[in-house]
Amino acid sequence: MSKTTRNNRIAVIDGLRTPFCKAGTDLAHLEADQLGALCVKELMQRSKVEENQIDEVIIGNVSQPVKAANVARVIALKAGLSSQIPAYTVHRNCASGLQSITNACSSILANQAQTVIAGGTESMSNIPFVYSKELKFVLESFMTAKTTAQKLGALRLFKFKYLKPIIGLQEGLTDPVCGLIMGLTAENLAREFKIDRHEQDLYALESHKRVTEAIEHNRYADEIMAISDKHGKKMITADNGVRLNQTIESLEKLKPFFDRKNGTVTVGNSSQVTDGAAAMILMSESRAKELKLTPMGYIRHYSYAGLEPDRMGLGPVYAMSKCFETSDISFSDIDLFEINEAFAAQVLACHKAADSTEFAKTYLNKSKKVGTLDPKKCNVNGGAIAQGHPVGTSGTRIVLTLLHELKRQNKTLGCASLCVGGGQGGAIIIERH
Amino acid sequence: MPVYVWEVGKVEPSLSSDIKTMKKEQKTIVKKAVKTPTFDEVFNQTLKAAQVNYTESNSVGILSLDQLNSKVNILSRSILNEFNFVLDLLSKRDICVLIIKSAKKNQFIAGANIHEIYGVESADEAKELLVHGHEIFHKIENLPFPTIAVINGPCLGGGLELALACTYRVALIHDSVSIALPEVNLGILPGLGGTQRLSRLIGLSKAVSLIVSGKGVNAKKAYSLGIVDALFHDAFLETRLETFIASLSSSKQRKMIEKRRKKSSMPMKVLESNGVGRWMLHQLVKRQILKKTKGHYPAPMTALAVTIKGYSKPLKKGIDLEIAGFCKLVTTTEAKHLMHIFLTQEFVKKQTQSYVVPTQDTIKQATVLGAGLMGAAIAWLFSYRNIKVRLKDINWGAVLHGQKSIQNIYNQLVKKRRLKKDQADMKLMQTVSLTQDFSGLHQSDIVVEAIVENLTIKQTVFKDLEKHVSRECILASNTSSLSIEKIASSLTYPDRFLGLHFFSPANIMPLVEIIPSKTCKKDVISKAIQVVKKMKKTPIVVKECPGFLVNRILIPYVVEAIRCVEEGEKISRIDRIITQFGMPIGPLALCDQVGLDVGFNVAKVLEDGYGPRMAIPTIMKKMQELDNCLGKKTNRGLYCYKGKQKSENQDINQFCSSPSKKTEKEIKDRLLLIMVNEALMCLDENIVSSPEELDMAMIYGIGFPPFLGGLLMYAQNRGFNDILEVLTQLAQQHGSRFEPCNKLKELVKHNQNLFHSIKEEKHG
């Protein structure tokens, strides 16, 4: 693989996201397609890019709404975009929102498109409960039965236990290969890297503190659009996941959620289940110059990597390693990092693994460690533990947040990375100038 | 072969030359035809270029109508004459079925020629016109083979009557298909058998509701009513029509079609089947009509009577009744006025079209500033017509309130089944975006401002706004009273500014006054007219003056009504006299509806602008000081409102003189003639370019009764002499505000009329 250079950067022209709201709260009335449409509609209103310049819409989404297959297309049309603009949905679990950006980059680099809207959407409030297979069979035989006798026969197969629903959210967060729910993969990492409960809780506390500070200084205001609540009485203008007065004591009171007896991962030191959408407009650097647009920044390089599903939380280390290897930018050049906080244990494990030469030798087949992640450069405005993790959206969100923070600190290079359920990692390098 | 005599029809001047050449051709044809009367020759050689074409294949004849030089087909004398000619030839033709269709895409027959009907001066002339038409329709009905009308677009009035004379009717499933007998809206009734044939076809009660309301139905509804016998998609028309024709050979099938037409509920069948039932139906519908028309419109009543009385008689007798009813109506002043308005509408359309310059740009994105009721309704108009709109106010609370108002308007449509819930939600999602700052306005092609009526605030807002919009963006103010020039003066580029005055409630009222600033560019006016038309509203271009056109004429009338109250007249009596005159709402009730504060502010602007003529009476000032007395919105104004009940507000009595009773004539004269006087002044000052536009504006803007033909038409009918006399008298009694204007004096002096007499108009 040849190394990337500055010559083929992709410009991020504009980006916007909805507020991130805990599932079942302020945004629960909106399905994923509606959230996405509101975001894209407002993005297009605010952007100087015109509708007829858009060539494609790519949206990442994990739990696709049953009523909106290919949710990207539904979003594009509901946002009022021309029916002539094609759209497709991408899915790489927690990195879906990043996948849409990188797909856009690929399309633009391959001259398949000039300008692309990329984003992510997720309404975790609206992930449905599913009937069991057994119940589906009973209902099907009942509906296809022709005579009353056949119908009665079909009903005889019914058992009350079939009524127990399958919770879509829970199924979605469980790895079908290793059979572990994501929280348990985090427990694996906690044990592997000896990260105790206290360390995790401290990290969670820090995340809340950083988000609180960012909100106090209005650092998120530029990236968030307002959405009206269910009754049209109140405008939601900010994320609602953060606990402004979070204390270590209250975090310590929580019981482990995934491994009730011996675990360390609690709901307090895990990311929140959240609704939200984000979108950005991407085009080649030369096109941006041609249209006299001022980009927020540029996508310089990206990589995805795979690893064992039950250690999926280490994905960022694998991905970053690959990303820096194939780029002319080195780890030490990076001014700011965003590592999506799926679990405190998982982020801390990434920090330790990246800093370990032994890890690099054993798992990455490299002689040198990936690099030391300085907490002062990492997730400076907090992360998903306090803000929430709408799975399909987070990828776009961390790139957006990173772009805004690079601007605020007047820094040049940033790297955003996510762990991906199923044992993958994604990393992307952003350049502001 | 019957000898064919061409009648010199009264045709539109634009067509006359074509028709003349055609006539010459056809005269020679007839001569030829007598010599060598073979059918094919006549058709192949001669009628190809004409308005009625005939082709034939597999013994299916197709007669297609294609009016020359017109987008639509209208049943005028010329086309009927051709029709007659062709029918005579066809009657001996050996074909198994005749299809009657339109050669124009999605246009069937949009009715009869109103110019011709308007030109009818006597009952005898009307009768002659109708008898001629009936002869032709009778011929269609009595052809030796069945006929099928293929309705592929608007099928109105005479068009439907022609289709009803056919044996079968089929329609396309298409949005353009609209089937109606709208004659009552023009003060007449369907005179070519519509009342008789429709009621015999689908049953009395279903027919009555269509005839009396004049309302249109779409293809699906027409099918379920039984007016049409089959629905086809355009793409499969030919094959489906073939199958339909083939199915007609079975008598069982034919019976099924006939049975389906008359399908109606059991009680209705019972009601229609006997004299007593029909009498009951008559009384019932009569009451409904009276409630709606308040007795001002005779046409629905006559149409009803003719339909019901003719139903039990043989068709021939029924048609005689119908002709008698038509002849009675067509010469009434109401009919003349309603037809005059119909023609005026066309005139006004042409008039505004003269401002339109051809351009490629259309308005795709709008912004509305101010999310109050007015702003929200304007935003809704954009949204409903699929124009993206950004609704801005100064805080989210106000913006959300506006969004709710838009939603409410959509909900009303959903309730009326004009729109499905999903469609409404989709429109809202696709087109409406919200903001509390100036973000995202750079894409707007037009910004309509509907914020508080305060000159300084408006000037500041427009100044700020200009920094955030493109140079090409049109800026419009929905001010109802402030000076357009003064607002324009705050702008860097005043050449893109104009007034766009909607009437409340903007989603319903059909009028929009367009007030260009002095320097306004032509293409700006043109685009504004086009966007207003896209909203399906009637734009009228008005020159700037305080109050513009409608409010300038309306306010003196409302103020005069309040003066009458001040002089001790009963509030409800004034309103009653005026509504009896035909206005949809009394001036004082209107005042409450608009809001006393809003009305006062406009009146103040007019007082400042026109001086003592528009002086505000003291009672209005005193009422402003009353607490919580702003009209309907506070449940207290000139009336007190309690639920649906309203009673006169007794608190006002303290400002009034002791009760005194004026004559009805005095009240009417004072209120109406002050309007007439002001309207003539507007005309004199060229505020509006024609009396037709002025009348249209008053009908659309304040609901001036259409049966009177408009405000100035009313004045002309009353006689300018009489008006001058009464106004002079009123000026002596009540002050100089009644001083007759120069225009009036001039009209009287030269014995002039504002509107051409009917004959002139028809040709001019």
Side-chain angles (χ1 to χ4, degrees), chain B residues 65 84 133 150 243 323 373 438 498 600 624 649 662 699 747:
Chain B
L65 298 182
N84 192 9
V150 180
T243 331
I323 293 177
L373 271 182
F438 284 112
L498 41 70
F600 184 81
Q624 288 296 307
N649 187 352
K662 301 175 199 312
I699 291 168
L747 285 171

Side-chain angles (χ1 to χ4, degrees), chain A residues 30 33-35 37-38 41-42 44-51 77-81 226 228-229 231-235 237, chain B residues 364-367 388-390 396-397 399-401 403-404 426 428-436 439-444:
Chain A
L30 295 167
D33 53 317
Q34 293 171 305
L35 276 173
L38 285 168
K41 179 170 74 172
E42 182 65 17
M44 285 307 293
Q45 285 280 339
R46 293 196 195 179
S47 174
K48 292 215 161 62
V49 178
E50 283 168 32
E51 187 195 338
L77 293 175
K78 282 197 176 177
L81 291 179
S228 74
D229 70 347
H231 306 289
K233 293 243 166 83
K234 196 176 87 190
M235 217 56 174
T237 53
Chain B
K364 287 186 201 131
Q365 169 81 53
T367 295
K388 286 181 190 166
V389 57
R390 201 157 169 84
W396 284 129
V399 175
L400 283 175
H401 197 78
Q403 189 193 31
K404 197 106 213 181
M426 188 63 87
L428 199 66
M429 176 64 105
Q430 284 179 331
T431 52
V432 180
S433 70
L434 312 172
T435 182
Q436 57 170 356
S439 68
L441 262 59
H442 56 274
Q443 307 225 359
S444 284

Side-chain angles (χ1 to χ4, degrees), chain B residues 438 454-467 490:
Chain B
F438 284 112
N454 176 314
L455 185 64
T456 344
I457 297 178
K458 282 198 202 256
Q459 283 177 333
T460 326
V461 166
F462 272 108
K463 217 172 197 167
D464 282 350
L465 177 69
E466 238 188 345
K467 291 174 207 152
S490 66

Side-chain angles (χ1 to χ4, degrees), chain B residues 130-166:
Chain B
L130 287 186
V131 167
H132 180 58
H134 272 296
E135 264 171 32
I136 297 166
F137 283 15
H138 204 66
K139 276 180 197 167
I140 299 175
E141 208 170 33
N142 290 338
L143 282 171
F145 37 77
T147 46
I148 302 173
V150 180
I151 300 167
N152 64 336
C155 173
L156 312 173
L160 177 55
E161 291 175 302
L162 187 143
L164 287 170
C166 294

Side-chain angles (χ1 to χ4, degrees), chain B residues 301-320:
Chain B
M301 295 294 256
T302 314
L304 173 69
V306 163
T307 313
I308 291 184
K309 277 184 192 146
Y311 185 70
S312 54
K313 296 194 167 64
L315 182 63
K316 176 86 188 49
K317 286 242 170 93
I319 284 180
D320 287 344

